[in-house]
Coordinates of all heavy atoms in Angstrom, one line a residue:
M1 N 149.7 23.0 153.5 CA 150.9 23.8 153.7 C 151.0 24.4 155.1 O 149.9 24.8 155.6 CB 150.9 25.0 152.7 CG 152.1 26.0 152.8 SD 152.0 27.5 151.9 CE 152.2 27.0 150.3
N2 N 152.2 24.4 155.7 CA 152.4 25.0 157.0 C 153.2 26.3 156.8 O 154.2 26.2 156.1 CB 153.1 24.1 157.9 CG 152.5 22.7 158.0 OD1 151.3 22.6 158.3 ND2 153.3 21.7 157.7
I3 N 152.8 27.3 157.5 CA 153.6 28.5 157.5 C 154.1 28.7 158.9 O 153.3 28.8 159.8 CB 152.9 29.8 157.0 CG1 152.5 29.6 155.5 CG2 153.7 31.0 157.2 CD1 151.9 30.8 154.9
K4 N 155.4 28.7 159.1 CA 156.0 28.7 160.5 C 156.8 30.0 160.6 O 157.8 30.2 159.9 CB 156.9 27.5 160.7 CG 156.1 26.2 160.6 CD 157.0 25.0 160.7 CE 156.2 23.7 160.6 NZ 157.0 22.5 160.5
V5 N 156.4 30.8 161.5 CA 157.0 32.1 161.8 C 158.0 31.9 162.9 O 157.6 31.4 164.0 CB 156.0 33.2 162.2 CG1 156.8 34.5 162.5 CG2 155.0 33.4 161.1
C6 N 159.3 32.2 162.7 CA 160.3 32.0 163.8 C 160.0 33.0 164.9 O 159.8 34.2 164.7 CB 161.7 32.3 163.2 SG 163.0 32.1 164.4
V7 N 160.0 32.4 166.1 CA 159.8 33.2 167.3 C 161.1 33.0 168.2 O 161.0 33.2 169.4 CB 158.5 32.8 168.1 CG1 157.3 33.2 167.3 CG2 158.5 31.3 168.4
G8 N 162.2 32.6 167.6 CA 163.5 32.6 168.3 C 163.8 34.0 168.8 O 163.2 35.0 168.4
S9 N 164.8 34.1 169.7 CA 165.0 35.4 170.3 C 165.3 36.5 169.3 O 164.8 37.6 169.5 CB 166.0 35.3 171.4 OG 167.2 34.7 170.9
S10 N 166.1 36.3 168.4 CA 166.5 37.3 167.4 C 165.2 37.8 166.6 O 164.9 38.9 166.4 CB 167.6 36.8 166.5 OG 167.9 37.8 165.5
C11 N 164.5 36.8 166.0 CA 163.3 37.1 165.2 C 162.3 37.7 166.1 O 161.5 38.7 165.7 CB 162.8 35.9 164.5 SG 163.9 35.3 163.2
H12 N 162.2 37.3 167.3 CA 161.2 37.8 168.2 C 161.4 39.3 168.4 O 160.5 40.2 168.3 CB 161.2 37.1 169.6 CG 160.4 37.7 170.6 ND1 159.0 37.6 170.6 CD2 160.7 38.5 171.7 CE1 158.5 38.3 171.6 NE2 159.5 38.8 172.3
L13 N 162.7 39.7 168.6 CA 163.0 41.1 168.8 C 162.8 41.9 167.5 O 162.5 43.1 167.6 CB 164.5 41.3 169.2 CG 164.9 40.8 170.6 CD1 166.4 40.8 170.8 CD2 164.2 41.7 171.6
K14 N 162.8 41.3 166.4 CA 162.6 42.0 165.1 C 161.1 42.0 164.7 O 160.7 42.5 163.7 CB 163.4 41.3 164.0 CG 164.9 41.6 164.2 CD 165.6 40.9 163.1 CE 167.1 41.0 163.3 NZ 167.9 40.1 162.4
G15 N 160.2 41.4 165.6 CA 158.8 41.6 165.3 C 158.0 40.4 164.9 O 157.0 40.5 164.2
S16 N 158.4 39.2 165.3 CA 157.7 38.0 164.9 C 156.2 38.1 165.3 O 155.4 37.6 164.5 CB 158.2 36.8 165.7 OG 159.5 36.5 165.4
Y17 N 156.0 38.6 166.5 CA 154.6 38.6 166.9 C 153.7 39.4 165.9 O 152.6 39.0 165.6 CB 154.5 39.2 168.3 CG 153.1 39.3 168.9 CD1 152.4 38.2 169.4 CD2 152.4 40.5 168.8 CE1 151.1 38.3 169.8 CE2 151.1 40.6 169.3 CZ 150.4 39.5 169.8 OH 149.1 39.6 170.2
D18 N 154.2 40.6 165.5 CA 153.5 41.4 164.6 C 153.3 40.7 163.2 O 152.2 40.8 162.6 CB 154.2 42.7 164.3 CG 154.1 43.6 165.5 OD1 153.2 43.4 166.4 OD2 155.0 44.5 165.7
V19 N 154.3 39.9 162.8 CA 154.2 39.2 161.6 C 153.1 38.1 161.7 O 152.3 37.9 160.7 CB 155.6 38.6 161.2 CG1 155.4 37.6 160.0 CG2 156.6 39.7 160.8
I20 N 153.1 37.4 162.8 CA 152.1 36.4 163.0 C 150.7 37.0 163.0 O 149.8 36.5 162.3 CB 152.3 35.6 164.3 CG1 153.5 34.8 164.3 CG2 151.1 34.7 164.7 CD1 153.9 34.1 165.6
Q21 N 150.5 38.1 163.6 CA 149.2 38.8 163.6 C 148.8 39.2 162.2 O 147.7 39.0 161.8 CB 149.2 40.0 164.6 CG 149.3 39.7 166.0 CD 148.3 38.7 166.5 OE1 147.1 38.8 166.3 NE2 148.8 37.6 167.2
S22 N 149.7 39.8 161.5 CA 149.5 40.2 160.1 C 149.1 39.0 159.3 O 148.2 39.0 158.4 CB 150.7 40.9 159.5 OG 151.0 42.1 160.3
L23 N 149.9 37.9 159.4 CA 149.6 36.7 158.6 C 148.2 36.1 158.9 O 147.5 35.7 158.0 CB 150.7 35.6 158.8 CG 151.9 35.7 157.9 CD1 153.0 34.8 158.4 CD2 151.6 35.5 156.5
K24 N 147.8 36.2 160.1 CA 146.4 35.7 160.4 C 145.4 36.5 159.6 O 144.5 35.9 159.0 CB 146.1 36.0 161.9 CG 146.6 34.9 162.8 CD 146.1 35.1 164.2 CE 146.9 34.2 165.2 NZ 146.7 34.6 166.6
D25 N 145.6 37.8 159.6 CA 144.6 38.7 158.8 C 144.7 38.4 157.3 O 143.7 38.4 156.6 CB 144.9 40.2 159.1 CG 144.7 40.6 160.5 OD1 143.9 39.8 161.2 OD2 145.2 41.6 161.0
I26 N 146.0 38.2 156.9 CA 146.2 38.0 155.4 C 145.5 36.6 155.0 O 144.9 36.6 153.9 CB 147.7 38.0 155.1 CG1 148.2 39.4 155.2 CG2 148.0 37.4 153.7 CD1 149.7 39.5 155.3
L27 N 145.7 35.6 155.8 CA 145.1 34.3 155.4 C 143.6 34.4 155.3 O 143.0 33.8 154.5 CB 145.5 33.2 156.4 CG 147.0 32.9 156.5 CD1 147.2 31.8 157.6 CD2 147.5 32.4 155.2
K28 N 143.1 35.2 156.2 CA 141.6 35.5 156.2 C 141.2 36.3 155.0 O 140.3 35.9 154.2 CB 141.2 36.2 157.5 CG 139.8 36.0 157.9 CD 139.5 36.8 159.2 CE 140.1 36.0 160.4 NZ 139.8 36.6 161.7
K29 N 142.0 37.3 154.7 CA 141.7 38.2 153.6 C 141.7 37.4 152.2 O 140.9 37.7 151.4 CB 142.7 39.3 153.5 CG 142.6 40.3 152.4 CD 143.6 41.4 152.5 CE 143.7 42.3 151.3 NZ 144.7 43.3 151.4
Y30 N 142.6 36.5 152.1 CA 142.8 35.8 150.8 C 142.0 34.5 150.9 O 142.1 33.6 149.9 CB 144.3 35.5 150.5 CG 144.9 36.8 150.1 CD1 145.4 37.7 151.0 CD2 145.0 37.2 148.8 CE1 146.0 38.9 150.7 CE2 145.6 38.4 148.4 CZ 146.1 39.3 149.4 OH 146.7 40.5 149.0
D31 N 141.2 34.3 152.0 CA 140.4 33.1 152.1 C 141.1 31.8 152.0 O 140.6 30.9 151.3 CB 139.2 33.2 151.0 CG 138.0 32.4 151.4 OD1 137.9 32.0 152.6 OD2 137.2 32.0 150.5
V32 N 142.3 31.7 152.6 CA 143.0 30.4 152.6 C 143.3 29.9 154.0 O 144.2 29.1 154.2 CB 144.4 30.6 151.8 CG1 144.1 30.9 150.3 CG2 145.2 31.8 152.4
E33 N 142.5 30.4 154.9 CA 142.7 29.9 156.3 C 142.6 28.4 156.4 O 143.3 27.8 157.3 CB 141.6 30.5 157.2 CG 141.8 31.9 157.5 CD 140.5 32.4 158.2 OE1 139.5 32.5 157.6 OE2 140.6 32.8 159.4
D34 N 141.8 27.8 155.6 CA 141.6 26.3 155.7 C 142.7 25.5 155.0 O 142.8 24.3 155.2 CB 140.2 25.9 155.1 CG 139.1 26.5 155.9 OD1 139.3 26.9 157.1 OD2 138.0 26.5 155.3
L35 N 143.5 26.2 154.2 CA 144.5 25.5 153.4 C 145.9 25.7 154.0 O 146.8 25.0 153.6 CB 144.5 26.1 152.0 CG 143.1 26.0 151.2 CD1 143.1 26.7 149.9 CD2 142.8 24.5 151.0
V36 N 146.0 26.7 154.9 CA 147.4 27.0 155.4 C 147.3 26.9 156.9 O 146.4 27.5 157.5 CB 147.8 28.4 155.0 CG1 149.2 28.7 155.6 CG2 147.9 28.5 153.5
E37 N 148.2 26.2 157.5 CA 148.3 26.1 159.0 C 149.4 27.1 159.4 O 150.5 26.9 159.0 CB 148.6 24.7 159.5 CG 148.5 24.7 161.0 CD 148.4 23.2 161.5 OE1 148.0 22.3 160.7 OE2 148.7 23.0 162.7
L38 N 149.0 28.0 160.2 CA 150.0 29.0 160.7 C 150.5 28.6 162.1 O 149.7 28.3 163.0 CB 149.3 30.4 160.9 CG 150.1 31.6 161.3 CD1 151.2 31.8 160.3 CD2 149.2 32.8 161.4
Q39 N 151.8 28.5 162.2 CA 152.5 28.1 163.4 C 153.6 29.0 163.8 O 154.2 29.7 163.0 CB 153.0 26.6 163.2 CG 152.0 25.6 162.8 CD 152.6 24.3 162.3 OE1 153.8 24.2 162.1 NE2 151.8 23.3 162.2
A40 N 154.1 28.8 165.0 CA 155.3 29.5 165.5 C 156.4 28.4 165.4 O 156.1 27.2 165.5 CB 155.2 30.0 166.9
S41 N 157.6 28.9 165.2 CA 158.7 27.9 165.1 C 159.9 28.4 166.0 O 160.1 29.6 166.2 CB 159.2 27.9 163.6 OG 160.4 27.3 163.5
F42 N 160.7 27.4 166.4 CA 162.0 27.8 167.1 C 162.9 28.3 166.0 O 162.6 28.3 164.8 CB 162.6 26.5 167.8 CG 161.8 26.1 168.9 CD1 161.1 24.8 168.9 CD2 161.6 26.9 170.0 CE1 160.4 24.4 170.0 CE2 160.8 26.5 171.1 CZ 160.2 25.3 171.1
C43 N 164.1 28.7 166.4 CA 165.1 29.3 165.5 C 165.3 28.5 164.3 O 165.5 27.3 164.3 CB 166.4 29.5 166.3 SG 167.7 30.2 165.2
L44 N 165.2 29.2 163.1 CA 165.3 28.6 161.8 C 166.8 28.6 161.3 O 167.1 28.1 160.2 CB 164.4 29.2 160.8 CG 162.9 29.0 161.1 CD1 162.1 29.9 160.1 CD2 162.5 27.6 161.0
G45 N 167.7 29.2 162.1 CA 169.1 29.2 161.8 C 169.5 30.2 160.8 O 170.6 30.1 160.2
H46 N 168.7 31.3 160.6 CA 169.1 32.4 159.7 C 168.9 33.7 160.5 O 168.3 34.7 159.9 CB 168.2 32.4 158.5 CG 168.3 31.1 157.7 ND1 169.3 30.9 156.8 CD2 167.5 30.0 157.7 CE1 169.1 29.7 156.2 NE2 168.0 29.1 156.8
C47 N 169.3 33.7 161.7 CA 169.0 34.9 162.6 C 169.3 36.2 162.0 O 168.5 37.2 162.3 CB 169.7 34.7 164.0 SG 169.5 33.1 164.7
A48 N 170.4 36.4 161.3 CA 170.8 37.7 160.8 C 169.7 38.2 159.8 O 169.7 39.4 159.5 CB 172.1 37.6 160.2
K49 N 168.9 37.3 159.2 CA 168.0 37.7 158.2 C 166.6 37.7 158.6 O 165.6 37.5 157.9 CB 168.2 36.8 157.0 CG 169.5 36.9 156.3 CD 169.5 36.1 155.0 CE 170.8 35.4 154.7 NZ 170.6 34.4 153.6
G50 N 166.3 37.8 160.0 CA 165.0 37.7 160.5 C 164.2 38.9 160.2 O 164.7 40.0 159.9
V51 N 162.9 38.9 160.3 CA 162.2 37.7 160.8 C 162.1 36.7 159.6 O 161.9 37.0 158.5 CB 160.7 38.1 161.2 CG1 159.8 36.9 161.4 CG2 160.7 39.1 162.3
N52 N 162.4 35.4 160.0 CA 162.3 34.4 159.0 C 161.0 33.6 159.1 O 160.5 33.4 160.2 CB 163.5 33.4 159.3 CG 164.8 34.0 159.0 OD1 165.1 34.3 157.8 ND2 165.6 34.3 160.0
V53 N 160.5 33.3 157.9 CA 159.2 32.5 157.9 C 159.5 31.3 156.9 O 160.0 31.5 155.8 CB 158.1 33.4 157.3 CG1 156.8 32.6 157.1 CG2 157.8 34.6 158.2
R54 N 159.1 30.1 157.4 CA 159.3 28.9 156.6 C 157.9 28.4 156.1 O 157.0 28.3 156.9 CB 160.0 27.9 157.5 CG 160.2 26.6 156.9 CD 160.8 25.7 158.1 NE 160.7 24.3 157.7 CZ 161.8 23.6 157.4 NH1 163.0 24.1 157.4 NH2 161.7 22.4 157.1
A55 N 157.9 28.0 154.9 CA 156.7 27.3 154.4 C 157.1 25.9 154.1 O 158.0 25.7 153.3 CB 156.1 28.0 153.1
D56 N 156.4 24.9 154.7 CA 156.7 23.5 154.4 C 155.5 22.7 154.2 O 154.4 23.3 154.2 CB 157.7 22.9 155.4 CG 157.2 22.9 156.8 OD1 155.9 23.0 157.0 OD2 158.0 22.7 157.7
G57 N 155.6 21.4 154.1 CA 154.5 20.6 153.8 C 153.9 20.9 152.4 O 152.7 20.8 152.1
L58 N 154.8 21.2 151.5 CA 154.4 21.5 150.1 C 154.2 20.3 149.3 O 154.9 19.3 149.4 CB 155.5 22.4 149.4 CG 156.0 23.6 150.1 CD1 157.0 24.3 149.2 CD2 154.9 24.6 150.5
S59 N 153.1 20.3 148.4 CA 152.9 19.2 147.5 C 154.0 19.3 146.4 O 154.6 20.3 146.2 CB 151.5 19.2 147.0 OG 151.4 20.4 146.1
D60 N 154.1 18.2 145.6 CA 155.0 18.3 144.5 C 154.7 19.4 143.5 O 155.6 20.1 143.0 CB 155.0 16.9 143.7 CG 155.7 15.8 144.5 OD1 156.4 16.2 145.5 OD2 155.4 14.6 144.2
S61 N 153.4 19.7 143.2 CA 153.1 20.7 142.3 C 153.4 22.1 142.9 O 153.8 23.0 142.2 CB 151.7 20.6 141.8 OG 150.8 20.9 142.9
M62 N 153.3 22.2 144.2 CA 153.7 23.5 144.8 C 155.2 23.7 144.7 O 155.6 24.8 144.4 CB 153.3 23.5 146.3 CG 151.9 23.6 146.6 SD 151.7 23.4 148.4 CE 149.9 23.8 148.6
K63 N 155.9 22.6 144.9 CA 157.4 22.7 144.8 C 157.8 23.2 143.4 O 158.7 23.9 143.2 CB 158.0 21.4 145.2 CG 158.0 21.1 146.7 CD 158.6 19.8 147.0 CE 158.3 19.4 148.4 NZ 158.7 18.0 148.7
Q64 N 157.1 22.6 142.4 CA 157.5 23.0 141.0 C 157.2 24.5 140.7 O 157.9 25.1 139.9 CB 156.6 22.1 140.0 CG 157.2 20.7 139.9 CD 156.3 19.8 139.2 OE1 155.3 20.2 138.6 NE2 156.6 18.5 139.2
K65 N 156.2 25.0 141.4 CA 155.9 26.5 141.2 C 156.8 27.4 142.0 O 156.8 28.6 141.7 CB 154.4 26.7 141.5 CG 153.5 26.1 140.5 CD 152.1 26.6 140.8 CE 151.3 25.4 141.5 NZ 150.0 25.8 141.9
A66 N 157.5 26.9 143.0 CA 158.2 27.7 143.9 C 159.5 28.3 143.2 O 160.1 27.6 142.4 CB 158.7 26.9 145.1
T67 N 159.8 29.6 143.5 CA 160.9 30.2 142.8 C 162.2 29.8 143.5 O 163.2 29.6 142.8 CB 160.8 31.7 142.8 OG1 160.5 32.2 144.2 CG2 159.8 32.2 141.9
T68 N 162.2 29.6 144.8 CA 163.4 29.2 145.5 C 163.0 28.1 146.4 O 162.1 28.3 147.2 CB 164.2 30.3 146.2 OG1 163.2 30.8 147.1 CG2 164.7 31.3 145.3
L69 N 163.7 27.0 146.4 CA 163.4 25.9 147.3 C 164.6 25.4 148.1 O 165.7 25.3 147.5 CB 163.0 24.7 146.4 CG 161.9 23.7 146.9 CD1 160.6 24.4 147.3 CD2 161.6 22.8 145.7
E70 N 164.5 25.2 149.4 CA 165.6 24.7 150.2 C 165.8 23.2 149.8 O 164.9 22.6 149.2 CB 165.2 24.8 151.7 CG 165.0 26.3 152.1 CD 166.2 27.2 152.0 OE1 167.3 26.8 152.5 OE2 166.0 28.2 151.4
E71 N 166.9 22.7 150.3 CA 167.2 21.3 150.0 C 166.2 20.3 150.5 O 165.9 19.3 150.0 CB 168.6 20.9 150.6 CG 169.7 21.3 149.7 CD 171.1 20.9 150.3 OE1 171.1 20.0 151.1 OE2 172.1 21.5 149.9
D72 N 165.5 20.7 151.7 CA 164.5 19.9 152.3 C 163.1 20.1 151.7 O 162.2 19.5 152.2 CB 164.5 20.1 153.8 CG 164.1 21.4 154.2 OD1 163.7 22.3 153.3 OD2 164.0 21.7 155.4
G73 N 163.0 20.9 150.6 CA 161.8 21.1 150.0 C 160.9 22.1 150.6 O 159.7 22.2 150.2
S74 N 161.4 22.9 151.5 CA 160.7 24.0 152.1 C 161.1 25.3 151.4 O 162.0 25.4 150.6 CB 160.9 24.1 153.6 OG 162.2 24.5 153.8
I75 N 160.4 26.4 151.8 CA 160.7 27.7 151.4 C 161.0 28.5 152.6 O 160.3 28.4 153.6 CB 159.5 28.4 150.6 CG1 159.2 27.6 149.4 CG2 159.9 29.8 150.3 CD1 157.9 28.0 148.8
I76 N 162.1 29.3 152.6 CA 162.4 30.2 153.7 C 162.4 31.6 153.2 O 163.1 31.9 152.3 CB 163.7 29.8 154.4 CG1 163.6 28.4 155.0 CG2 163.9 30.8 155.6 CD1 164.7 28.0 155.9
L77 N 161.5 32.4 153.8 CA 161.4 33.8 153.5 C 162.1 34.6 154.5 O 161.9 34.4 155.7 CB 159.9 34.2 153.4 CG 159.1 33.3 152.5 CD1 157.6 33.6 152.8 CD2 159.4 33.5 151.1
H78 N 163.0 35.5 154.1 CA 163.8 36.3 155.0 C 163.3 37.8 155.1 O 162.6 38.3 154.2 CB 165.3 36.3 154.5 CG 165.8 35.0 154.3 ND1 166.1 34.1 155.4 CD2 166.2 34.3 153.2 CE1 166.7 33.0 154.9 NE2 166.7 33.1 153.6
N79 N 163.8 38.4 156.2 CA 163.5 39.8 156.4 C 162.1 40.2 156.2 O 161.7 41.2 155.6 CB 164.4 40.6 155.3 CG 165.8 40.4 155.5 OD1 166.4 40.4 156.6 ND2 166.5 40.0 154.3
V80 N 161.2 39.4 156.8 CA 159.8 39.6 156.8 C 159.4 40.6 157.9 O 159.9 40.4 159.1 CB 159.0 38.3 157.0 CG1 157.5 38.6 156.9 CG2 159.4 37.3 155.9
T81 N 158.6 41.6 157.6 CA 158.2 42.6 158.6 C 156.7 42.7 158.5 O 156.1 42.2 157.5 CB 158.8 44.0 158.4 OG1 158.2 44.5 157.1 CG2 160.3 43.9 158.3
K82 N 156.0 43.3 159.4 CA 154.6 43.5 159.3 C 154.2 44.4 158.1 O 153.2 44.3 157.6 CB 154.0 44.0 160.6 CG 154.3 45.4 160.9 CD 153.6 45.9 162.2 CE 154.0 47.3 162.5 NZ 153.6 47.8 163.8
E83 N 155.2 45.2 157.7 CA 154.9 46.1 156.6 C 155.0 45.4 155.3 O 154.3 45.7 154.3 CB 156.0 47.3 156.6 CG 155.7 48.3 157.6 CD 156.2 47.9 159.0 OE1 157.1 47.1 159.1 OE2 155.7 48.5 160.0
N84 N 156.0 44.4 155.1 CA 156.1 43.8 153.8 C 155.5 42.4 153.7 O 155.6 41.7 152.7 CB 157.6 43.7 153.4 CG 158.5 42.8 154.3 OD1 157.9 42.0 155.0 ND2 159.8 42.9 154.2
V85 N 155.0 41.9 154.8 CA 154.5 40.5 154.8 C 153.5 40.2 153.8 O 153.5 39.1 153.2 CB 154.1 40.0 156.3 CG1 152.9 40.8 156.8 CG2 153.8 38.5 156.3
E86 N 152.6 41.1 153.6 CA 151.5 40.8 152.6 C 152.1 40.8 151.2 O 151.8 39.9 150.4 CB 150.4 41.9 152.6 CG 149.3 41.6 151.6 CD 148.0 42.4 151.9 OE1 148.0 43.3 152.8 OE2 147.0 42.2 151.1
E87 N 153.0 41.7 150.9 CA 153.6 41.7 149.5 C 154.4 40.4 149.3 O 154.3 39.8 148.3 CB 154.6 42.9 149.5 CG 155.3 43.1 148.2 CD 156.4 44.2 148.3 OE1 156.3 45.0 149.2 OE2 157.3 44.1 147.5
I88 N 155.1 39.9 150.3 CA 155.9 38.7 150.2 C 155.0 37.5 150.1 O 155.2 36.6 149.3 CB 156.9 38.5 151.4 CG1 158.0 39.6 151.4 CG2 157.4 37.1 151.5 CD1 158.9 39.6 152.6
F89 N 153.9 37.5 150.9 CA 152.9 36.4 150.8 C 152.3 36.3 149.4 O 152.3 35.2 148.8 CB 151.8 36.6 151.8 CG 150.7 35.7 151.7 CD1 150.8 34.4 152.3 CD2 149.5 36.0 151.0 CE1 149.7 33.5 152.2 CE2 148.5 35.1 150.9 CZ 148.6 33.8 151.5
V90 N 151.9 37.5 148.8 CA 151.3 37.5 147.5 C 152.3 37.0 146.4 O 151.9 36.3 145.5 CB 150.7 38.9 147.2 CG1 150.3 39.0 145.8 CG2 149.6 39.2 148.1
K91 N 153.5 37.4 146.6 CA 154.5 37.0 145.6 C 155.0 35.6 145.7 O 155.2 34.9 144.7 CB 155.7 38.0 145.7 CG 156.6 38.0 144.6 CD 157.6 39.2 144.7 CE 158.8 38.9 143.8 NZ 160.1 39.2 144.5
E92 N 155.3 35.2 146.9 CA 156.0 33.9 147.1 C 155.2 32.7 147.5 O 155.5 31.6 147.3 CB 157.1 34.1 148.2 CG 158.1 35.2 147.8 CD 159.1 34.8 146.7 OE1 159.2 33.6 146.4 OE2 159.7 35.8 146.2
V93 N 154.1 33.0 148.2 CA 153.3 31.9 148.8 C 151.9 31.7 148.2 O 151.6 30.5 147.8 CB 153.1 32.1 150.4 CG1 152.3 31.0 151.0 CG2 154.4 32.3 151.1
Y94 N 151.2 32.7 148.0 CA 149.8 32.6 147.5 C 149.8 31.9 146.1 O 148.9 31.0 145.9 CB 149.2 34.0 147.4 CG 147.7 33.9 147.0 CD1 146.8 33.4 147.9 CD2 147.3 34.3 145.8 CE1 145.4 33.3 147.6 CE2 145.9 34.3 145.5 CZ 145.0 33.8 146.4 OH 143.7 33.7 146.0
P95 N 150.7 32.2 145.2 CA 150.7 31.5 143.9 C 150.8 29.9 144.0 O 150.4 29.2 143.1 CB 151.8 32.0 143.1 CG 152.1 33.3 143.8 CD 151.8 33.1 145.2
L96 N 151.4 29.5 145.1 CA 151.6 28.0 145.3 C 150.4 27.3 145.8 O 150.3 26.1 145.7 CB 152.8 27.8 146.2 CG 154.1 28.5 146.0 CD1 155.1 28.1 147.0 CD2 154.6 28.3 144.6
I97 N 149.5 28.0 146.4 CA 148.4 27.4 147.1 C 147.4 26.9 146.1 O 147.0 27.6 145.2 CB 147.7 28.4 148.1 CG1 148.7 28.8 149.2 CG2 146.5 27.8 148.7 CD1 148.2 29.9 150.1
E98 N 147.0 25.6 146.3 CA 146.0 25.0 145.4 C 144.6 25.3 145.9 O 144.2 24.7 146.8 CB 146.3 23.5 145.3 CG 147.6 23.3 144.5 CD 148.4 22.1 144.9 OE1 148.1 21.5 146.0 OE2 149.3 21.7 144.2
L99 N 143.9 26.2 145.2 CA 142.6 26.6 145.6 C 141.5 25.6 145.1 O 141.7 25.0 144.2 CB 142.3 28.0 145.1 CG 143.3 29.1 145.6 CD1 143.0 30.4 144.9 CD2 143.1 29.3 147.1
Ligands
FES101 S1 165.9 33.5 165.8 FE1 164.8 33.4 164.0 S2 166.2 32.4 162.7 FE2 167.2 32.4 164.6

């Protein structure tokens, strides 16, 4: 699985850098650093709802467990901040990871 944090100008202004730093700590805390690749992304096209984070590279079983799936089989998480990123990760992403 890849987790891509938007670093487009709008999301950048809303705190992408802090979200990336927090996600690094969270991946370590939940011991999934080897299973998830954290990347920065250009604009994901949902600027009004930033910071946006996209999870892609999902296996079929991950897709089946996802609560909301984009047409291309990815997940896009909206309004992510350094304050809520752990809660969103635990709810939307961690359950999909095959340990
Ligand atoms: S700048 Fe992040 S979605 Fe456009």
